[in-house]
Amino acid sequence: MLEDNKSFSEELPPGQLDSIQYEQNPYITVLTCCDSRVRIRAFLADPHPTDNVFVIRNVGNQLAVTSGSVDYGVRHLKTPLLLILGHTRCGAIKAASTDYRKLSLHLVQELNGLHIPVRGMDPGTDDDVQWLQAVERNVHYQMDLAVQRYAPEIAEGTLAVIGCVYDFANLYKKGIGKTVLLNVNGESNSDVFTKSDLMDDLPADLVDSVLPGSPVPQ
Ligand SMILES: [Zn+2]
């Protein structure tokens, strides 16, 4: 870790960190799972990211677990975008479908927040369809909570909340490592949200490439 930091700091372009000495100016707040396979770098072309992403991570990308931190990104730093990012084969989702009471108290408390999204899932299943359905339900569930919480900012047009799944297993057949867009400001029907003003500047082929295609049956 120390060697990597030494290399990183020595490879930074001159002056790279000068502008961030006293403040941060991220354009996006990201709430995602702490799973090590979810890489924030998967969304950023900048090889030397400095202060552009405010990241909150917890098991199962849950708003309620760290809502104060999300508030800080949205309401204090005023990022215009909040991304709620689930991912394929999320271990938190699988664990929450099982009898997890023997885990540590605090982990149990965090997994308790996932009991609604995992409802109906076979406990601990490896079935990718069921598992992905629960991952998607969790993204929509967290989106509903966020849209309620940040309703004033969304109504003002100062915040957009989007819900995605990062697919490192290629379960959507879009290509391994792609991100799929499921929800925009609480709207889960892609026929509706693709017509929203928020999507106007995006090339049509890009929009097509990030939609889930044939929806996962819920
Ligand atoms: Zn996860």
Side-chain angles (χ1 to χ4, degrees), residues 181-182 187-195 211-213:
L181 176 62
L182 295 183
E187 177 59 64
S188 58
N189 182 341
S190 61
D191 290 339
V192 176
F193 70 63
T194 51
K195 293 183 176 66
L211 296 178

mmCIF file with all atom_site columns, all heavy atoms in Angstrom, residues 181-182 187-195 211-213:
data_model
loop_
_atom_site.group_PDB
_atom_site.id
_atom_site.type_symbol
_atom_site.label_atom_id
_atom_site.label_alt_id
_atom_site.label_comp_id
_atom_site.label_asym_id
_atom_site.label_entity_id
_atom_site.label_seq_id
_atom_site.pdbx_PDB_ins_code
_atom_site.Cartn_x
_atom_site.Cartn_y
_atom_site.Cartn_z
_atom_site.occupancy
_atom_site.B_iso_or_equiv
_atom_site.pdbx_formal_charge
_atom_site.auth_seq_id
_atom_site.auth_comp_id
_atom_site.auth_asym_id
_atom_site.auth_atom_id
_atom_site.pdbx_PDB_model_num
ATOM 1   N N   . LEU A 1 181 ? -28.719 1.177  -17.016 1.00 0.00 ? 181 LEU A N   1
ATOM 2   C CA  . LEU A 1 181 ? -29.518 2.237  -16.394 1.00 0.00 ? 181 LEU A CA  1
ATOM 3   C C   . LEU A 1 181 ? -30.945 1.734  -16.174 1.00 0.00 ? 181 LEU A C   1
ATOM 4   O O   . LEU A 1 181 ? -31.625 1.344  -17.123 1.00 0.00 ? 181 LEU A O   1
ATOM 5   C CB  . LEU A 1 181 ? -29.526 3.465  -17.317 1.00 0.00 ? 181 LEU A CB  1
ATOM 6   C CG  . LEU A 1 181 ? -30.379 4.660  -16.898 1.00 0.00 ? 181 LEU A CG  1
ATOM 7   C CD1 . LEU A 1 181 ? -29.897 5.238  -15.577 1.00 0.00 ? 181 LEU A CD1 1
ATOM 8   C CD2 . LEU A 1 181 ? -30.351 5.735  -17.995 1.00 0.00 ? 181 LEU A CD2 1
ATOM 9   N N   . LEU A 1 182 ? -31.389 1.760  -14.906 1.00 0.00 ? 182 LEU A N   1
ATOM 10  C CA  . LEU A 1 182 ? -32.692 1.189  -14.562 1.00 0.00 ? 182 LEU A CA  1
ATOM 11  C C   . LEU A 1 182 ? -33.728 2.224  -14.145 1.00 0.00 ? 182 LEU A C   1
ATOM 12  O O   . LEU A 1 182 ? -34.938 1.942  -14.196 1.00 0.00 ? 182 LEU A O   1
ATOM 13  C CB  . LEU A 1 182 ? -32.554 0.219  -13.367 1.00 0.00 ? 182 LEU A CB  1
ATOM 14  C CG  . LEU A 1 182 ? -31.750 -1.051 -13.517 1.00 0.00 ? 182 LEU A CG  1
ATOM 15  C CD1 . LEU A 1 182 ? -31.843 -1.838 -12.223 1.00 0.00 ? 182 LEU A CD1 1
ATOM 16  C CD2 . LEU A 1 182 ? -32.268 -1.881 -14.679 1.00 0.00 ? 182 LEU A CD2 1
ATOM 17  N N   . GLU A 1 187 ? -38.449 7.048  -11.815 1.00 0.00 ? 187 GLU A N   1
ATOM 18  C CA  . GLU A 1 187 ? -39.178 6.448  -12.941 1.00 0.00 ? 187 GLU A CA  1
ATOM 19  C C   . GLU A 1 187 ? -38.421 5.216  -13.420 1.00 0.00 ? 187 GLU A C   1
ATOM 20  O O   . GLU A 1 187 ? -37.257 5.317  -13.827 1.00 0.00 ? 187 GLU A O   1
ATOM 21  C CB  . GLU A 1 187 ? -39.305 7.469  -14.081 1.00 0.00 ? 187 GLU A CB  1
ATOM 22  C CG  . GLU A 1 187 ? -39.975 6.926  -15.337 1.00 0.00 ? 187 GLU A CG  1
ATOM 23  C CD  . GLU A 1 187 ? -41.382 6.412  -15.048 1.00 0.00 ? 187 GLU A CD  1
ATOM 24  O OE1 . GLU A 1 187 ? -42.243 7.207  -14.661 1.00 0.00 ? 187 GLU A OE1 1
ATOM 25  O OE2 . GLU A 1 187 ? -41.594 5.184  -15.192 1.00 0.00 ? 187 GLU A OE2 1
ATOM 26  N N   . SER A 1 188 ? -39.080 4.061  -13.380 1.00 0.00 ? 188 SER A N   1
ATOM 27  C CA  . SER A 1 188 ? -38.404 2.825  -13.764 1.00 0.00 ? 188 SER A CA  1
ATOM 28  C C   . SER A 1 188 ? -38.767 2.362  -15.171 1.00 0.00 ? 188 SER A C   1
ATOM 29  O O   . SER A 1 188 ? -38.181 1.399  -15.665 1.00 0.00 ? 188 SER A O   1
ATOM 30  C CB  . SER A 1 188 ? -38.731 1.719  -12.755 1.00 0.00 ? 188 SER A CB  1
ATOM 31  O OG  . SER A 1 188 ? -40.130 1.526  -12.678 1.00 0.00 ? 188 SER A OG  1
ATOM 32  N N   . ASN A 1 189 ? -39.715 3.035  -15.798 1.00 0.00 ? 189 ASN A N   1
ATOM 33  C CA  . ASN A 1 189 ? -40.101 2.664  -17.164 1.00 0.00 ? 189 ASN A CA  1
ATOM 34  C C   . ASN A 1 189 ? -39.172 3.387  -18.150 1.00 0.00 ? 189 ASN A C   1
ATOM 35  O O   . ASN A 1 189 ? -39.234 4.614  -18.282 1.00 0.00 ? 189 ASN A O   1
ATOM 36  C CB  . ASN A 1 189 ? -41.562 3.060  -17.404 1.00 0.00 ? 189 ASN A CB  1
ATOM 37  C CG  . ASN A 1 189 ? -42.055 2.652  -18.785 1.00 0.00 ? 189 ASN A CG  1
ATOM 38  O OD1 . ASN A 1 189 ? -41.262 2.394  -19.692 1.00 0.00 ? 189 ASN A OD1 1
ATOM 39  N ND2 . ASN A 1 189 ? -43.366 2.591  -18.944 1.00 0.00 ? 189 ASN A ND2 1
ATOM 40  N N   . SER A 1 190 ? -38.343 2.615  -18.840 1.00 0.00 ? 190 SER A N   1
ATOM 41  C CA  . SER A 1 190 ? -37.347 3.251  -19.714 1.00 0.00 ? 190 SER A CA  1
ATOM 42  C C   . SER A 1 190 ? -38.000 3.979  -20.880 1.00 0.00 ? 190 SER A C   1
ATOM 43  O O   . SER A 1 190 ? -37.437 4.936  -21.409 1.00 0.00 ? 190 SER A O   1
ATOM 44  C CB  . SER A 1 190 ? -36.335 2.223  -20.218 1.00 0.00 ? 190 SER A CB  1
ATOM 45  O OG  . SER A 1 190 ? -36.985 1.220  -20.974 1.00 0.00 ? 190 SER A OG  1
ATOM 46  N N   . ASP A 1 191 ? -39.204 3.545  -21.287 1.00 0.00 ? 191 ASP A N   1
ATOM 47  C CA  . ASP A 1 191 ? -39.903 4.276  -22.357 1.00 0.00 ? 191 ASP A CA  1
ATOM 48  C C   . ASP A 1 191 ? -40.232 5.697  -21.911 1.00 0.00 ? 191 ASP A C   1
ATOM 49  O O   . ASP A 1 191 ? -40.319 6.609  -22.729 1.00 0.00 ? 191 ASP A O   1
ATOM 50  C CB  . ASP A 1 191 ? -41.213 3.560  -22.735 1.00 0.00 ? 191 ASP A CB  1
ATOM 51  C CG  . ASP A 1 191 ? -40.949 2.248  -23.463 1.00 0.00 ? 191 ASP A CG  1
ATOM 52  O OD1 . ASP A 1 191 ? -39.839 2.099  -24.013 1.00 0.00 ? 191 ASP A OD1 1
ATOM 53  O OD2 . ASP A 1 191 ? -41.849 1.387  -23.462 1.00 0.00 ? 191 ASP A OD2 1
ATOM 54  N N   . VAL A 1 192 ? -40.417 5.863  -20.606 1.00 0.00 ? 192 VAL A N   1
ATOM 55  C CA  . VAL A 1 192 ? -40.751 7.184  -20.060 1.00 0.00 ? 192 VAL A CA  1
ATOM 56  C C   . VAL A 1 192 ? -39.480 7.981  -19.771 1.00 0.00 ? 192 VAL A C   1
ATOM 57  O O   . VAL A 1 192 ? -39.315 9.115  -20.226 1.00 0.00 ? 192 VAL A O   1
ATOM 58  C CB  . VAL A 1 192 ? -41.604 7.056  -18.785 1.00 0.00 ? 192 VAL A CB  1
ATOM 59  C CG1 . VAL A 1 192 ? -41.864 8.434  -18.166 1.00 0.00 ? 192 VAL A CG1 1
ATOM 60  C CG2 . VAL A 1 192 ? -42.917 6.341  -19.080 1.00 0.00 ? 192 VAL A CG2 1
ATOM 61  N N   . PHE A 1 193 ? -38.549 7.373  -19.038 1.00 0.00 ? 193 PHE A N   1
ATOM 62  C CA  . PHE A 1 193 ? -37.398 8.197  -18.624 1.00 0.00 ? 193 PHE A CA  1
ATOM 63  C C   . PHE A 1 193 ? -36.455 8.544  -19.780 1.00 0.00 ? 193 PHE A C   1
ATOM 64  O O   . PHE A 1 193 ? -35.746 9.535  -19.704 1.00 0.00 ? 193 PHE A O   1
ATOM 65  C CB  . PHE A 1 193 ? -36.662 7.623  -17.411 1.00 0.00 ? 193 PHE A CB  1
ATOM 66  C CG  . PHE A 1 193 ? -35.868 6.351  -17.577 1.00 0.00 ? 193 PHE A CG  1
ATOM 67  C CD1 . PHE A 1 193 ? -34.768 6.277  -18.417 1.00 0.00 ? 193 PHE A CD1 1
ATOM 68  C CD2 . PHE A 1 193 ? -36.184 5.222  -16.820 1.00 0.00 ? 193 PHE A CD2 1
ATOM 69  C CE1 . PHE A 1 193 ? -34.021 5.125  -18.536 1.00 0.00 ? 193 PHE A CE1 1
ATOM 70  C CE2 . PHE A 1 193 ? -35.439 4.054  -16.925 1.00 0.00 ? 193 PHE A CE2 1
ATOM 71  C CZ  . PHE A 1 193 ? -34.360 4.007  -17.797 1.00 0.00 ? 193 PHE A CZ  1
ATOM 72  N N   . THR A 1 194 ? -36.470 7.743  -20.843 1.00 0.00 ? 194 THR A N   1
ATOM 73  C CA  . THR A 1 194 ? -35.608 8.118  -21.978 1.00 0.00 ? 194 THR A CA  1
ATOM 74  C C   . THR A 1 194 ? -36.145 9.352  -22.703 1.00 0.00 ? 194 THR A C   1
ATOM 75  O O   . THR A 1 194 ? -35.419 9.978  -23.478 1.00 0.00 ? 194 THR A O   1
ATOM 76  C CB  . THR A 1 194 ? -35.474 6.959  -22.998 1.00 0.00 ? 194 THR A CB  1
ATOM 77  O OG1 . THR A 1 194 ? -36.770 6.491  -23.340 1.00 0.00 ? 194 THR A OG1 1
ATOM 78  C CG2 . THR A 1 194 ? -34.639 5.840  -22.423 1.00 0.00 ? 194 THR A CG2 1
ATOM 79  N N   . LYS A 1 195 ? -37.390 9.703  -22.438 1.00 0.00 ? 195 LYS A N   1
ATOM 80  C CA  . LYS A 1 195 ? -37.953 10.909 -23.064 1.00 0.00 ? 195 LYS A CA  1
ATOM 81  C C   . LYS A 1 195 ? -37.800 12.143 -22.175 1.00 0.00 ? 195 LYS A C   1
ATOM 82  O O   . LYS A 1 195 ? -38.224 13.236 -22.541 1.00 0.00 ? 195 LYS A O   1
ATOM 83  C CB  . LYS A 1 195 ? -39.439 10.687 -23.381 1.00 0.00 ? 195 LYS A CB  1
ATOM 84  C CG  . LYS A 1 195 ? -39.680 9.637  -24.456 1.00 0.00 ? 195 LYS A CG  1
ATOM 85  C CD  . LYS A 1 195 ? -41.158 9.511  -24.790 1.00 0.00 ? 195 LYS A CD  1
ATOM 86  C CE  . LYS A 1 195 ? -41.402 8.524  -25.929 1.00 0.00 ? 195 LYS A CE  1
ATOM 87  N NZ  . LYS A 1 195 ? -41.056 7.146  -25.581 1.00 0.00 ? 195 LYS A NZ  1
ATOM 88  N N   . LEU A 1 211 ? -29.578 0.645  -21.723 1.00 0.00 ? 211 LEU A N   1
ATOM 89  C CA  . LEU A 1 211 ? -30.856 0.129  -21.232 1.00 0.00 ? 211 LEU A CA  1
ATOM 90  C C   . LEU A 1 211 ? -30.763 -1.393 -21.089 1.00 0.00 ? 211 LEU A C   1
ATOM 91  O O   . LEU A 1 211 ? -30.027 -2.036 -21.819 1.00 0.00 ? 211 LEU A O   1
ATOM 92  C CB  . LEU A 1 211 ? -31.988 0.514  -22.199 1.00 0.00 ? 211 LEU A CB  1
ATOM 93  C CG  . LEU A 1 211 ? -32.221 2.020  -22.313 1.00 0.00 ? 211 LEU A CG  1
ATOM 94  C CD1 . LEU A 1 211 ? -33.320 2.308  -23.324 1.00 0.00 ? 211 LEU A CD1 1
ATOM 95  C CD2 . LEU A 1 211 ? -32.578 2.631  -20.954 1.00 0.00 ? 211 LEU A CD2 1
ATOM 96  N N   . PRO A 1 212 ? -31.515 -1.947 -20.135 1.00 0.00 ? 212 PRO A N   1
ATOM 97  C CA  . PRO A 1 212 ? -31.335 -3.368 -19.859 1.00 0.00 ? 212 PRO A CA  1
ATOM 98  C C   . PRO A 1 212 ? -31.798 -4.289 -20.985 1.00 0.00 ? 212 PRO A C   1
ATOM 99  O O   . PRO A 1 212 ? -31.516 -5.475 -20.961 1.00 0.00 ? 212 PRO A O   1
ATOM 100 C CB  . PRO A 1 212 ? -32.164 -3.594 -18.587 1.00 0.00 ? 212 PRO A CB  1
ATOM 101 C CG  . PRO A 1 212 ? -33.073 -2.431 -18.485 1.00 0.00 ? 212 PRO A CG  1
ATOM 102 C CD  . PRO A 1 212 ? -32.420 -1.286 -19.190 1.00 0.00 ? 212 PRO A CD  1
ATOM 103 N N   . GLY A 1 213 ? -32.501 -3.748 -22.005 1.00 0.00 ? 213 GLY A N   1
ATOM 104 C CA  . GLY A 1 213 ? -33.003 -4.629 -23.064 1.00 0.00 ? 213 GLY A CA  1
ATOM 105 C C   . GLY A 1 213 ? -34.233 -5.335 -22.572 1.00 0.00 ? 213 GLY A C   1
ATOM 106 O O   . GLY A 1 213 ? -35.073 -4.739 -21.901 1.00 0.00 ? 213 GLY A O   1
#
